[in-house]
Amino acid sequence: MSYIGRFAPSPSGSLHFGSLIAALGSYLRAHSLNGQWLVRMEDIDPPREVSGASDSILRTLDAYGLHWHGTVLYQSQRTQVYQNTIEKLVAQNQAYYCQCSRKMIQTMGGVYDSRCGLVNIVNARTTGAIRIRNSAKVSFFDDINRGHINVESGFAGEDFIIKRSDGLFAYQLAVVIDDAFQGITEVVRGSDLLEASCRQISLFHLLDLPTPNWLHLPLACAKPGFKLSKQNHAPAINIQAPQQSLNAALEFLGQPKVDIDHVDKMLAQAVAQFSLANVPKHSEIILAKPTGAVD
């Protein structure tokens, strides 16, 4: 089976150095294996989205020579697919409505105890969030970069939310459905989603969908536990002069720097000398520049 990878940003702001690492790492992995590299815009959380961010992200990728195969998939155009899946799961009693608040879950010890699932067997509710009956309870997997990963059993076995009480579809559901739809064979992304992989693997099993492989990259952090992110106001990368940022991202990923040239030539050289064995296996790396900005 041919390799198909992807980069799936959310349009909550401009691309920063941390997201460049994820984009570049997934791009290099796909191209080094003569595979396809797709881009998916995960735009199903309007309260967090920034107007114009989707177009800005795509322009930045293009300026950095990170050209994708095919057309961009927008999750906002696939909400009916998610809804159809949920309705089927509820009809088959594989998912149920839950009205428990975060405060209530804290009184359960921080892990939801499936109480609404027990109630629904007798007296089905039709309002609130919707949770999957997580009978798969996957608590470990093998990561191509990080090795064998074990996840705390309470988190891994929890009946997690697949549709929020505000009517928005949960990330876990949409990402699994779309990875299967696009035929993704390997997910390359940051280690902040390492534990969430177990929930996604569980959902792949529950939906009887092919499960991709996993490869998690270290996070770029300004200080321990403080990753570069849009929420943390990480500065946007320079779209006018991308060469220095590309070389900085290559160095972060343990790859040799390439000759400063046109970005397409730089990426061709980077693909030719890419070595997965040199990618750091840490969960995070503290940047010398606290902001992660590249001048």
Side-chain angles (χ1 to χ4, degrees):
M1 184 170 56
S2 60
Y3 183 101
I4 304 178
R6 49 82 160 172
F7 175 58
S10 59
S12 53
S14 301
L15 287 188
H16 51 78
F17 187 65
S19 47
L20 174 62
I21 290 165
L24 180 61
S26 59
Y27 177 95
L28 293 175
R29 174 67 169 167
H31 281 266
S32 68
L33 296 174
N34 297 312
Q36 296 183 58
W37 186 67
L38 310 182
V39 170
R40 178 169 71 232
M41 200 63 61
E42 300 195 330
D43 56 342
I44 54 169
D45 194 354
R48 294 182 59 244
E49 292 166 19
V50 174
S51 178
S54 292
D55 290 341
S56 172
I57 289 170
L58 297 179
R59 286 196 302 270
T60 302
L61 291 174
D62 198 51
Y64 274 71
L66 298 169
H67 310 305
W68 53 92
H69 293 97
T71 58
V72 176
L73 182 72
Y74 290 84
Q75 287 190 329
S76 58
Q77 299 174 3
R78 289 179 47 78
T79 55
Q80 191 58 53
V81 177
Y82 312 145
Q83 183 61 30
N84 291 345
T85 300
I86 286 177
E87 289 177 1
K88 181 179 178 181
L89 290 169
V90 171
Q92 295 175 341
N93 199 31
Q94 290 182 276
Y96 58 89
Y97 288 88
C98 172
Q99 297 175 335
C100 294
S101 65
R102 291 183 180 179
K103 184 176 181 179
M104 291 173 64
I105 293 173
Q106 287 302 314
T107 66
M108 302 173 200
V111 177
Y112 172 67
D113 61 8
S114 304
R115 64 180 60 181
C116 293
L118 299 175
V119 170
N120 279 344
I121 293 174
V122 178
N123 183 22
R125 292 172 175 166
T126 57
T127 60
I130 300 177
R131 292 180 180 270
I132 189 77
R133 291 191 190 278
N134 186 8
S135 57
K137 302 183 187 298
V138 174
S139 62
F140 62 88
F141 67 99
D142 290 319
D143 184 88
I144 292 172
N145 185 47
R146 300 286 302 275
H148 187 75
I149 302 297
N150 287 295
V151 174
E152 196 277 321
S153 59
F155 175 86
E158 188 177 44
D159 288 357
F160 53 89
I161 291 172
I162 56 175
K163 189 175 185 181
R164 291 161 30 180
S165 59
D166 60 6
L168 297 178
F169 297 99
Y171 165 78
Q172 308 288 9
L173 177 81
V175 71
V176 166
I177 290 176
D178 288 340
D179 278 344
F181 173 72
Q182 293 187 287
I184 302 303
T185 60
E186 183 177 274
V187 174
V188 180
R189 60 188 181 185
S191 288
D192 53 331
L193 293 169
L194 191 68
E195 289 187 342
S197 298
C198 274
R199 288 188 169 181
Q200 289 160 34
I201 295 169
S202 291
L203 199 48
F204 276 111
H205 293 344
L206 293 167
L207 296 176
D208 196 25
L209 296 172
T211 306
N213 295 320
W214 310 89
L215 196 165
H216 287 82
L217 305 170
L219 298 175
C221 294
K223 57 184 179 181
F226 193 84
K227 71 168 185 171
L228 297 185
S229 69
K230 297 161 190 171
Q231 290 76 23
N232 291 334
H233 309 292
I237 51 177
N238 188 346
I239 195 172
Q240 301 301 326
Q243 289 89 341
Q244 188 176 356
S245 294
L246 275 175
N247 258 334
L250 286 169
E251 184 177 19
F252 182 95
L253 290 169
Q255 308 303 306
K257 290 186 177 182
V258 295
D259 299 329
I260 295 293
D261 204 332
H262 189 276
V263 291
D264 289 337
K265 292 183 179 179
M266 292 179 70
L267 286 171
Q269 184 180 348
V271 168
Q273 61 193 27
F274 176 72
S275 171
L276 178 61
N278 290 337
V279 174
K281 301 186 185 303
H282 314 299
S283 60
E284 60 182 42
I285 295 175
I286 310 303
L287 299 173
K289 293 186 176 184
T291 63
V294 178
D295 300 326

